[in-house]
Amino acid sequence: MTAPFSICVYCGSRSGVAEHFVQAAVQVGRWIGERGGQLVYGGGNKGLMGTVADATLAAGGTVVGIIPQALVDKEFAKRDCTELHIVGNMHDRKRLMSERAGAFLALPGGIGTFEELFEVWTWRQLGYHDKPVGILDTAGYYQPLLHFLQTSVRAGFMNEWQMDLVRVGTDPGALLQQLVASSPGADAPHDLSQI
Ligand code: AMP
């Protein structure tokens, strides 16, 4: 049976120092799983990545993990994913992750998470896809970054409309609901061929 929605979650390969980061990842996975949805993610079994995947599976959802061969051991590839794709490199991973999802959500994480978030955000700005992008701002984690981006707007390097392409929320369920409601679906036109 096809899942009613598919959402790509970017998040830390570490869990962070506070329990609320783990709790937020559990809430996200549970929300997806309880609705029979599909999680697309980086395929690792470490940190918040493993947490969100476990929570999705435990709640009855499907999980598509996509991991480069070189990271299979380093990130503990999650063998019990519904689908585990071992791909040749990071570019293939990111392309497949973005193709298989109808919306994107960044949870707290490190530079890998930031890179993935900014990539789908810039792809949206450039019109390569029309899928919604969200940031889960657990415990104000993303506030310094969002403030810096407003600095960029004031300095004339960004427009407000670019900021408006990302939905920021603190409540996992409410944010997921908004993303799913505005998603064109995982099969929506998605043309990365010019990148
Ligand atoms: P981090 O947020 O740094 O813990 O990383 C989260 C995930 O992002 C991990 O699965 C990393 O393999 C992945 N990652 C790291 N660098 C990149 C990159 N350049 N592009 C895409 N994903 C990356």
Side-chain angles (χ1 to χ4, degrees):
M1 199 183 79
T2 317
F5 61 86
S6 178
I7 180 153
C8 177
V9 173
Y10 303 123
C11 60
S13 57
R14 306 178 198 193
S15 295
V17 296
E19 182 60 19
H20 49 233
F21 296 127
V22 175
Q23 285 312 316
V26 169
Q27 281 181 270
V28 167
R30 197 175 282 157
W31 192 96
I32 295 170
E34 285 174 348
R35 288 156 184 80
Q38 177 170 276
L39 167 73
V40 177
Y41 88 117
N45 212 357
K46 289 176 66 188
L48 299 186
M49 294 174 68
T51 301
V52 73
D54 279 337
T56 303
L57 288 171
T62 56
V63 173
V64 178
I66 304 167
I67 192 163
Q69 177 68 55
L71 294 181
V72 163
D73 293 333
K74 208 171 158 203
E75 295 192 350
F76 304 111
K78 190 165 174 51
R79 300 283 176 183
D80 61 337
C81 287
T82 317
E83 290 175 38
L84 179 66
H85 298 267
I86 298 175
V87 296
N89 56 52
M90 194 60 97
H91 293 294
D92 290 341
R93 177 200 233 181
K94 293 192 292 183
R95 181 181 48 75
L96 194 53
M97 285 171 75
S98 64
E99 284 174 0
R100 293 293 305 268
F104 306 99
L105 176 62
L107 272 54
I111 55 174
T113 303
F114 305 150
E115 199 273 348
E116 293 166 319
L117 165 66
F118 278 111
E119 186 168 70
V120 289
W121 191 349
T122 55
W123 285 350
R124 170 82 196 250
Q125 162 200 302
L126 295 169
Y128 291 124
H129 69 81
D130 197 26
K131 301 172 181 178
V133 180
I135 293 174
L136 184 62
D137 186 29
T138 304
Y141 178 72
Y142 277 107
Q143 284 303 310
L145 179 65
L146 295 167
H147 281 129
F148 174 73
L149 293 173
Q150 287 297 344
T151 302
S152 174
V153 172
R154 284 193 299 277
F157 291 105
M158 281 182 69
N159 292 323
E160 274 296 344
W161 71 264
Q162 293 170 300
M163 290 297 291
D164 292 344
L165 293 177
V166 168
R167 286 163 203 267
V168 182
T170 54
D171 177 345
L175 183 57
L176 282 158
Q177 183 63 51
Q178 286 179 22
L179 294 174
V180 168
S182 58
S183 169
D187 302 329
H190 190 101
D191 181 9
L192 306 183
S193 60
Q194 304 305 314
I195 292 176

